[in-house]
Each structure stands twice: as structure tokens, then as C-alpha cells.
């Protein structure tokens, strides 16, 4: 294609082709510290629906090795978002080497804290915040569970800050680490954040899962135990490839569920969340 | 075809893990995961002895488990078998 | 200009990839995925010592996924068997599910979508009742027009999806749309079908090739054609050495009014996959094959379809093959009016 960028995030390499220069330049700036794969795992294509739509009201179609048949185009101003969506789509539909959990993760002392829940539950913001406060950021979207050793692999792509979460980081982090502010995307306002340097440098180091939390933002502080069967069901729902991995996926997930301490956590605001995460980590992480 | 006997895959076809009171089952022929509460796992175990009609199956279960003296046992058992049949774990022999 | 020739050559002779650089591998994998041939390619490349580590990984992933597809397909077939067996009607598995159920080479690494079965026209109502009754399947969409369209002009019931398992079944009573010009003899296909151990059936070898050839040309704008043609190549390699196969293929192709499509499929398979053939059946020396080959190979190193004009030409053609002209206009008109509401 006319413009191309390659990047490896954790164990997954991507080749992103585009009919336009702008999204590629933005990717190159924000992923500047990442390695480039020579043979990528996945191809993403950003293309115009019709040749003249490259220039006239340009809208970006998202394609690649794995595609959704009815994906809607996004405006060129949101081209970086389109690239990120395309990469996520390849992982969600095409990842066959690891059990993919829709979860965020941070690491300390070789041990990983996993957080999963519905979108809007705050797992992404919380992981990014912890990444700025002494934890190693492993990813805000996907965690990759190894099928043979039960460790988890990092997937530290750009953090996708949404709406109110954007102001938490503006001013607090180096401005070079922030992408363009994209207003009124299908998911509201979005601004991408480059993960901290150590998160990128250590992205090939796996960690042993030591604590699993189901956070919920905007509720009175509360901590509840969750039964193993419920944890299992919630994690299968948080996985896009559990079924496709067959018995290997079953083994990896059931042994994770039986060994990892798990809590559901409600919190009213992010400061409260960071404090309760630190406390639970001290109490439970083995 | 007019028998009412049910059949299940042999135990090797399933990987079973106990999780707080329920059985987590990976069913190898289908690649599907099921979470079963009692007495469904026990029904599968009892069918490992061979095909059985509901009445005979109930006798096998009574031998190993105490059901008290409820009178609708056979109807309740048939309802559980129907669920297992829908999930593909048992079928008509 | 890059085209999918590197993919067909790698499938025929995996050693052609020996001197590939990273760019070649990247292109090959993108093309194989776009053509739904990654699983088949992964099996062909399995065990080659010179594969880069990443390629070996991606191939292992693809084989794992194909194994899942195989298991899922066989399970859907088994679930339909349990529901349909009491009817005592022959149920013939078609396409991918048939290949894996029979252990044919065409099934190795193949991606398999819906379950396709062939039943007699007379059994259609009973089959429909059994599937939607205790079977647990339901209509994908309730729409009177599409319903009538499928039943009147197409060769299958409107698609059904299973409530729990989310998998589709297509129930056919003939192998091409009723309006298509060739009218394969579905009754004799069922009569000649072969019973598997579990009571389900598959088409006879000759009919399987006829069906696959009909499918290659009748379905869509030759999209997915390389995969369909790979099926044909693998079937011919499995069956070609059996006594009497080529003679039977000639006879069945005539009977199903598919002599021309079968001959063309044979020639294309020979051209792209070096399939060993019986020369007389292929009717070599026909014009037009070059255009088909260009269309089938129209894919670039990003996995994108190329040669757009050629594709459009084939698309218009493919609709004409499926439906007589007048009906085509009515179909597009009705679809257009629906879009207005």
C-alpha cells in the first residue's frame, strides 16, 4: 500500500498499510520506541471505500487479515483510532497462540495484577495510572495467557484514554507521550498515551498472575469475594478465543481460576481505587 | 429406534474439574465447555455403566446416593436428561 | 505485478518457498489468509526445516485453528444426525464437513463455515420441522420476501442458526439454484451417495467432484475460487487412482449437465495446481481459461483483491448464472425497494 508502518507489541507483530500518510505518521511518532517485526503476525489495511474518497470527505475503512463484515468507516481525523481498532481486531479474531483475555495488567516483582470488567469499569484508566506510579504497565486492553506455562504476556499498545480519563494525564505526563485529541469518535473523546519507557523496554518479559480484580468505577467502596465458577464464566466472556483454543484454553483458564486470588472491587474515584488496589495486593498477592 | 434408552460418551471423552460445588466439564467431541450442577454430573457417571432408560438410571443413582422419599424423582430426572440431551452430552441410543 | 501465483506454487510444491525473504513470507501469509487457505498451507509447510521461526509459529497457530474447525464441523454434523436420524431419510453431508467426515485430503487444514446438508425434496418439510422443533435451530431472520426468494428460486431453505451453539445449517434439496441453467440430478446424487459409519452420507466420488465444480462457478464472482479449486485438486488426487473413477466422472458430469464446468475446473486445477488428469475429460485447448486464471490469482502482497474490472465482469456473469435475466431484475428491484423503507 502507499504508506506502511510496522510495529511489534509484546509477542505480536503488525504491518499497517494506509492510503493516507497521516495515520502512519501518528503511529510512527507514538510507537517510536517499539521494535519493528520483519515478518508480522498480522496485516491491517486502512483504505478508502472508493478511490475518490481518499480526498473527498475521506473516510477510513478498516481491513486486514481478519475483518468484520459490517464494520463502519471512521473519519480520517480519527485515522489513528482506526489503526488501533484494526490492530485490536486482528488480536480479537486472529490470536491463536495465547488465551486472550479482555483485561488490563500491571506487574511488580515478577507478579501480575489482572483487571477485567465491562468497558467503562475503569480497568484501562486504572492500569495506566498504576503504570505511572511504580508498577510496570503490561497492557490496558488485552492480557495473553500462555497455554503451556500459565504465565501472562504483556501487550502494552498505546493506552486509549477516554473522556474524563484524558484530563487525568494531560499536564501530568510528558506532552510527547500524548497523541492528538480525537473528539466525538464512536467511543466519545479519545486521546492515546504512549506507555512508560520501562513498559516498552520490558514488554517481552512475562509475569506470573498473582491477583485478579473485577473493578467497578463510581460506586461506594466495597470488596467482595467471587466464586470460582463465576470467575470462570466471567473470564470466558472476557475472552474472544477461549472456544477456538479447545482443550488447551480450558486447561489454561481452569488452572488460572483455581490458583489466582480474586475480588470484585467497587470504588468511587481513581485515588480511592489506587489505594484499595495497593491494600489488596499486600493482603492477597502471593 | 423405539427404545427410550439414553447413552453418553465414555468418561475419557470428558475432562472434569470440580469448582465450588459445580462440575466444570470440557467435552472433547464437541470442544464445548459445560458447567453442571448436581445431579447432572452423577447422571453422566451412571450412564458410564451402559445405556439406560430413565427408570433403570434412577435405580443406579439410588444405589449410590440418598434421595430421601420424594415421589417425583423420575419426572425430575427426565427433565435433567432433557437438558443434557439438548447440550449434546447424552442422546437416545 | 504480484499475484497469488506464489500461493498456488507453495501449495503444490512447498520447496518453492525455500529462498523466500521476509517480504515474500509476509505476502504469502496475507494471501493465504485472504483466500481461506492458511490452514491448508500450514499443513503443506509442516516440518520444513528452513521456515523462519515466525512462519513456523503462524503455521502451528493455523493448524490448531483448523483442528478446532474440524471438531466443530463434525459436532454440528453429529447434532443434526441425532435430530434427523428418527426420520429415516438419507442425509448427505456436503463440502467441508463431508471432506473431514470422510477423512479426505481436501479436509486437511480446511476452514469450514456452515454445515451444508442435502436431503430429498420430499423430506424437506419433515427435516425443517425436526430442526426447528426439538433440534433447537431457528430462522436467522423472519422475512417473507427472503423466505419466498430462497424457497422459490434458490436451492436451499433459508439459513437456520442454532439457538445455543450459534452455528448455521444450510439445508439443500438440490445442489444449484433451481433457476440456474444446469440442473444437476439431485435425486440420483442422493441415490448414489455413500453411507459413513455413523449413518450420515457423503456424495459418491464423481458426484463430489461435480458438485465442487458447480460450486466453483455458480457461487458468487469466483470469490474464494482458489480454495474451491484446491478442494477439487485434492479430491482428484484422492480419487484419481481408483478404478473407474474418471469414467464415472465423465458419465456423472453429463448426467448433471455439468460436463462443461467440470472440464473447465479440471483444466484450471491442472493449470494452477498441476493436478494429474484424465486428458479426454478436460477437453483441453478451450479459449477463455486465461481470463479465469487471471481472475483467480487476482490478489496483491497485502492480501487485497486486484484486477477490479475483471472482477466486476465476473460478478455480472455470476448473477446471470444463478438466475434468468428477468428474475435478476426483479430481485435487485425488490432489494432496492426494501432499502428505501
Amino acid at each position: 500500500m502507499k504508506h506502511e508502518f510496522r510495529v511489534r507489541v509484546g509477542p505480536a507483530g503488525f504491518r499497517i498499510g494506509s492510503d493516507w500518510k497521516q495515520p502512519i505518521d501518528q503511529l510512527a511518532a507514538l510507537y517510536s520506541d517499539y521494535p519493528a517485526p520483519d515478518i508480522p503476525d498480522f496485516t491491517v489495511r486502512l483504505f478508502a471505500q472508493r478511490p475518490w474518497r481518499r480526498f473527498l470527505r475521506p473516510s477510513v475503512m478498516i481491513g486486514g487479515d481478519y475483518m468484520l463484515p459490517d464494520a463502519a468507516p471512521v473519519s480520517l481525523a480519527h485515522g489513528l483510532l482506526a489503526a488501533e481498532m484494526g490492530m485490536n481486531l486482528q488480536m480479537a479474531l486472529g490470536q491463536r497462540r495465547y488465551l486472550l483475555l479482555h483485561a488490563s495488567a500491571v506487574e511488580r516483582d515478577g507478579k501480575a495484577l489482572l483487571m477485567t470488567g465491562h468497558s467503562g469499569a475503569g480497568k484501562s484508566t486504572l492500569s495506566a495510572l498504576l503504570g505511572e506510579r511504580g508498577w510496570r504497565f503490561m497492557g490496558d486492553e488485552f492480557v495473553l495467557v500462555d497455554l503451556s506455562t500459565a504465565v501472562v504476556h504483556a501487550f502494552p499498545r498505546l493506552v486509549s484514554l477516554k473522556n474524563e480519563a484524558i484530563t487525568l494525564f494531560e499536564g501530568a505526563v510528558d506532552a510527547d507521550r500524548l497523541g492528538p485529541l480525537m473528539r466525538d469518535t464512536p467511543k466519545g473523546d479519545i486521546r492515546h498515551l504512549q506507555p512508560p519507557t520501562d513498559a516498552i523496554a520490558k514488554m517481552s518479559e512475562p509475569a506470573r498472575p498473582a491477583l485478579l480484580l473485577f473493578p467497578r468505577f463510581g460506586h461506594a467502596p466495597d470488596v467482595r469475594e467471587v466464586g470460582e465458577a463465576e470467575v470462570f464464566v466471567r473470564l470466558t466472556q472476557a475472552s474472544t478465543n477461549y472456544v477456538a483454543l479447545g482443550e488447551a484454553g480450558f486447561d489454561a483458564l481452569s488452572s488460572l481460576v483455581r490458583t489466582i486470588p480474586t475480588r470484585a472491587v467497587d470504588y468511587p474515584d481513581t485515588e480511592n481505587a489506587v489505594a484499595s488496589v495497593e491494600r489488596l495486593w499486600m493482603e492477597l498477592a502471593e | 429406534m423405539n427404545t427410550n434408552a439414553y447413552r453418553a460418551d465414555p468418561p475419557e471423552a470428558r475432562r472434569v474439574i470440580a469448582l465450588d460445588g459445580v462440575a466444570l466439564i470440557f467435552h472433547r467431541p464437541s470442544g464445548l465447555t459445560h458447567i453442571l450442577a448436581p445431579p447432572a454430573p452423577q447422571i453422566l457417571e451412571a450412564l458410564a455403566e451402559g445405556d439406560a432408560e430413565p427408570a433403570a438410571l434412577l435405580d443406579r443413582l439410588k444405589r449410590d446416593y440418598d434421595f430421601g422419599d420424594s415421589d417425583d424423582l423420575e419426572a425430575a430426572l427426565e427433565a435433567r436428561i432433557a437438558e443434557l440431551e439438548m447440550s449434546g452430552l447424552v442422546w437416545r441410543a | 505485478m504480484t499475484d497469488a501465483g506464489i500461493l498456488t506454487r507453495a501449495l503444490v510444491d512447498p520447496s518453492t518457498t525455500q529462498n523466500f525473504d521476509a517480504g515474500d513470507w509476509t505476502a504469502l501469509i496475507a494471501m493465504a489468509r485472504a483466500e481461506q487457505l492458511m490452514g491448508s498451507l500450514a499443513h503443506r509447510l509442516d516440518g520444513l526445516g528452513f521456515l523462519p521461526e515466525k512462519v513456523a509459529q503462524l503455521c502451528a497457530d493455523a493448524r490448531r485453528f483448523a483442528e478446532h474447525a474440524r471438531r466443530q464441523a463434525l459436532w454440528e454434523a453429529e447434532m443434526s444426525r441425532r435430530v434427523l436420524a428418527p426420520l429415516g431419510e438419507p442425509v448427505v453431508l456436503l463440502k467441508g464437513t463431508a471432506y473431514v467426515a470422510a477423512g479426505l485430503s481436501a479436509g486437511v487444514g480446511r476452514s469450514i463455515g456452515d454445515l451444508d446438508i442435502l436431503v430429498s425434496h420430499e423430506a424437506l418439510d419433515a427435516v425443517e420441522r425436526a430442526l426447528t422443533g426439538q433440534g433447537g435451530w431457528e430462522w436467522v431472520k423472519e422475512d417473507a420476501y427472503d423466505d419466498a426468494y430462497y424457497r422459490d428460486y434458490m436451492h436451499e431453505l433459508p439459513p437456520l442458526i442454532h439457538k445455543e451453539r450459534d452455528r448455521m445449517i444450510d439445508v439443500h434439496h438440490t445442489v444449484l439454484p433451481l433457476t440456474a441453467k444446469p440442473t444437476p440430478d439431485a435425486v440420483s446424487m442422493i441415490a448414489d451417495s455413500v453411507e459413513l459409519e455413523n449413518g450420515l452420507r457423503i456424495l459418491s466420488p464423481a458426484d463430489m467432484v461435480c458438485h465442487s465444480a458447480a460450486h466453483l462457478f455458480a457461487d458468487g464472482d469466483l470469490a474464494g475460487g482458489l480454495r474451491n479449486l484446491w478442494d477439487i485438486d485434492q479430491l482428484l488426487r484422492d480419487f484419481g487412482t481408483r478404478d473407474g473413477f474418471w469414467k464415472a466422472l465423465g458419465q456423472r458430469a453429463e448426467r448433471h449437465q455439468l460436463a462443461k464446468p467440470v472440464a473447465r475446473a479440471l483444466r484450471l486445477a491442472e493449470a494452477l495446481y498441476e493436478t494429474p488428469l484424465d486428458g479426454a475429460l478436460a477437453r483441453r485447448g478451450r479459449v477463455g481459461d486465461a481470463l479465469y486464471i487471471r481472475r483467480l490469482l487476482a490478489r496483491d502482497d497485502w492480501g487485497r483483491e486486484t484486477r477490479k474490472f475483471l472482477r466486476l465482469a465476473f460478478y455480472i456473469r455470476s448473477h446471470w448464472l444463478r438466475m434468468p435475466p428477468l428474475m435478476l431484475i426483479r430481485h435487485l428491484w425488490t432489494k432496492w425497494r426494501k432499502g428505501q423503507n
Side-chain angles (χ1 to χ4, degrees):
Chain A
M1 295 186 75
K2 208 165 158 64
H3 306 281
E4 176 180 340
F5 178 67
R6 289 177 181 232
V7 64
R8 182 166 69 76
V9 182
F14 298 88
R15 166 176 72 150
I16 300 130
S18 169
D19 281 348
W20 304 272
K21 189 162 180 291
Q22 177 199 313
I24 295 300
D25 286 348
Q26 291 170 341
L27 286 168
L30 288 165
Y31 280 112
S32 56
D33 294 342
Y34 289 67
D38 61 341
I39 300 173
D41 291 74
F42 302 111
T43 290
V44 174
R45 302 189 302 261
L46 307 178
F47 59 99
Q49 199 163 10
R50 300 272 179 274
W52 60 88
R53 291 295 290 269
R54 270 176 60 194
F55 312 105
L56 188 73
R57 283 179 287 116
S59 69
V60 183
M61 299 290 291
I62 304 168
D65 291 333
Y66 302 91
M67 289 191 268
L68 290 177
D70 47 3
V74 304
S75 98
L76 181 56
H78 302 155
L80 178 60
L81 176 66
E84 288 285 316
M85 284 166 70
M87 290 160 72
N88 285 347
L89 200 60
Q90 304 314 307
M91 291 296 282
L93 302 179
Q95 179 53 253
R96 316 265 151 87
R97 201 171 314 139
Y98 307 99
L99 178 69
L100 183 140
L101 294 179
H102 192 74
S104 68
V106 291
E107 175 261 359
R108 189 187 269 173
D109 306 326
K111 295 181 292 188
L113 161 66
L114 315 184
M115 292 175 281
T116 183
H118 302 290
S119 64
K123 62 177 165 44
S124 170
T125 312
L126 196 48
S127 65
L129 213 54
L130 292 168
E132 303 297 321
R133 300 190 184 185
W135 295 71
R136 195 241 304 186
F137 174 80
M138 293 183 76
D140 78 326
E141 181 83 10
F142 297 132
V143 167
L144 306 169
V145 183
D146 198 289
L147 293 176
S148 46
T149 60
V151 297
V152 293
H153 298 271
F155 186 70
R157 50 151 224 177
L158 302 179
V159 181
S160 164
L161 300 170
K162 295 186 191 78
N163 304 318
E164 299 80 25
I166 297 171
T167 49
L168 279 176
F169 292 86
E170 282 172 342
V173 301
D174 192 346
D176 293 349
R177 290 177 54 203
L178 288 167
L181 175 63
M182 292 177 280
R183 291 198 184 279
D184 304 320
T185 77
K187 295 171 178 178
D189 293 350
I190 287 188
R191 193 158 188 189
H192 289 95
L193 167 71
Q194 186 182 62
T197 319
D198 73 314
I200 302 165
K202 293 183 179 173
M203 70 181 186
S204 299
E205 293 178 19
R208 187 171 58 76
L211 179 62
L212 170 64
L213 299 179
F214 294 103
R216 219 161 48 138
F217 176 77
H219 293 262
D222 189 24
V223 176
R224 293 177 306 280
E225 297 203 11
V226 191
E228 285 178 340
E230 189 187 339
V231 175
F232 187 90
V233 172
R234 287 172 78 160
L235 290 181
T236 57
Q237 289 165 348
S239 175
T240 53
N241 67 358
Y242 167 73
V243 174
L245 292 173
E247 193 163 356
F250 176 86
D251 285 341
L253 195 62
S254 58
S255 66
L256 177 67
V257 168
R258 280 185 303 167
T259 51
I260 194 167
T262 305
R263 293 291 184 275
V265 196
D266 293 353
Y267 53 88
D269 54 61
T270 43
E271 283 311 316
N272 183 292
V274 170
S276 65
V277 164
E278 292 284 359
R279 196 179 59 248
L280 287 168
W281 182 260
M282 295 301 288
E283 284 171 25
L284 297 169
E286 284 146 12
Chain B
M1 283 323 285
N2 49 15
T3 150
N4 197 22
Y6 287 90
R7 176 175 295 174
D9 298 291
E12 314 82 85
R14 296 181 293 273
R15 194 157 140 56
V16 185
I17 286 171
L19 281 189
D20 48 38
V22 298
L24 191 58
I25 296 181
F26 182 79
H27 182 235
R28 293 190 169 112
S30 64
L32 296 173
T33 305
H34 304 273
I35 295 187
L36 299 185
Q42 290 74 20
I43 292 172
L44 293 177
E45 273 170 36
L47 279 173
E49 290 176 33
D51 302 350
E53 301 197 3
L57 195 57
L58 188 57
D59 288 340
R60 283 184 203 167
L61 287 166
K62 278 179 172 167
R63 200 182 57 207
D64 298 329
Y65 302 95
D66 181 11
F67 289 93
D69 49 2
S70 165
D71 30 322
D72 299 346
L73 277 179
E74 197 163 329
L77 181 65
E78 284 186 32
R80 298 290 85 73
I81 293 175
E83 289 163 10
L84 287 171
E85 190 179 10
M86 191 65 183
S87 70
L89 290 169
V90 308
W91 67 98
R92 279 163 216 264
Chain C
M1 182 175 175
T2 326
D3 70 17
I6 59 167
L7 173 59
T8 55
R9 286 190 293 275
L11 285 164
V12 175
D13 178 7
S15 73
T16 56
T17 62
Q18 184 143 19
N19 297 315
F20 269 22
D21 62 19
D24 297 329
W25 284 114
T26 305
L28 179 69
I29 288 162
M31 286 178 192
R33 284 177 173 161
E35 294 288 347
Q36 304 281 317
L37 277 164
M38 187 60 200
S40 312
L41 179 68
H43 276 278
R44 295 290 288 157
L45 298 179
D46 193 10
L48 292 180
F50 57 77
L51 299 184
E53 191 191 343
K54 179 55 76 180
V55 174
Q57 272 181 356
L58 294 174
C59 286
D61 294 348
R63 287 191 297 270
R64 186 181 301 123
F65 191 67
E67 170 53 26
H68 165 71
R70 190 186 76 87
R71 185 181 299 239
Q72 218 173 26
L74 292 176
W75 182 249
E76 285 305 305
E78 168 63 12
M79 290 307 271
S80 74
R81 185 198 67 77
R82 290 179 190 177
V83 173
L84 298 178
L87 304 180
E89 291 283 344
V91 174
V92 183
L93 301 174
L94 299 175
K95 304 187 214 172
T97 310
Y99 307 154
V100 292
L104 296 169
S105 305
V108 175
R110 194 182 189 277
S111 64
I112 305 172
D114 307 339
L115 170 62
D116 290 281
I117 60 171
L118 172 67
V119 300
S120 74
H121 195 243
E122 295 72 42
L124 209 55
D125 285 343
V127 166
E128 182 180 344
R129 273 196 306 275
L131 291 173
T132 55
Q134 72 269 37
W137 278 270
E138 58 191 12
W139 304 116
V140 172
K141 52 185 174 203
E142 298 283 349
D143 183 311
Y145 169 71
D146 277 329
D147 205 42
Y149 168 68
Y150 267 99
R151 285 163 198 268
D152 294 350
Y153 305 127
M154 299 301 281
H155 51 130
E156 56 197 33
L157 289 177
L160 291 159
I161 192 160
H162 196 272
K163 288 176 206 163
E164 307 274 326
R165 297 190 303 277
D166 214 26
R167 298 276 298 172
M168 308 246 280
I169 184 170
D170 284 328
V171 181
H172 306 251
H173 57 86
T174 177
V175 297
L176 280 180
L178 291 174
T179 53
K181 218 164 76 189
T183 43
D185 184 349
V187 174
S188 81
M189 280 195 176
I190 295 172
D192 259 30
S193 64
V194 183
E195 187 171 281
L196 299 170
E197 218 170 281
N198 63 3
L200 289 170
R201 311 181 74 86
I202 56 170
L203 294 174
S204 71
D207 281 350
M208 210 181 267
V209 173
C210 288
H211 178 227
S212 202
H215 189 56
L216 171 66
F217 297 111
D219 216 47
D221 63 343
L222 276 187
L226 281 186
R227 206 278 309 272
N228 292 333
L229 198 61
W230 177 249
D231 284 347
I232 292 170
D233 168 79
Q234 295 289 292
L235 293 175
L236 292 172
R237 285 173 194 268
D238 280 358
F239 300 144
T241 51
R242 294 191 190 176
D243 275 349
F245 166 74
W246 294 102
K247 187 165 166 240
L249 179 58
Q251 288 168 349
R252 297 302 284 183
E254 287 293 342
R255 168 151 202 172
H256 298 310
Q257 304 176 9
L258 289 170
K260 273 184 176 170
V262 166
R264 191 180 295 272
L266 260 50
R267 296 195 303 271
L268 293 175
E270 183 186 45
L272 290 175
Y273 294 126
E274 300 176 18
T275 317
L277 292 186
D278 179 301
L281 268 184
R283 308 179 179 184
R284 284 195 190 80
R286 298 300 162 116
V287 292
D289 287 359
L291 210 59
Y292 279 84
I293 290 169
R294 273 175 56 75
R295 164 65 190 103
L296 286 165
L297 293 179
R299 200 157 294 272
D300 73 4
D301 53 355
W302 283 85
R304 288 181 299 180
E305 288 199 315
T306 52
R307 300 169 187 162
K308 292 204 170 66
F309 186 74
L310 194 59
R311 265 163 50 210
L312 184 67
F314 272 95
Y315 187 68
I316 292 168
R317 232 183 105 83
S318 80
H319 260 89
W320 283 67
L321 270 175
R322 283 168 88 110
M323 280 178 276
L326 237 151
M327 226 178 275
L328 171 65
I329 292 163
R330 214 175 83 188
H331 176 54
L332 294 176
W333 169 248
T334 317
K335 283 275 172 198
W336 180 79
R337 284 204 357 200
K338 272 163 59 88
Q340 303 297 299
N341 298 327

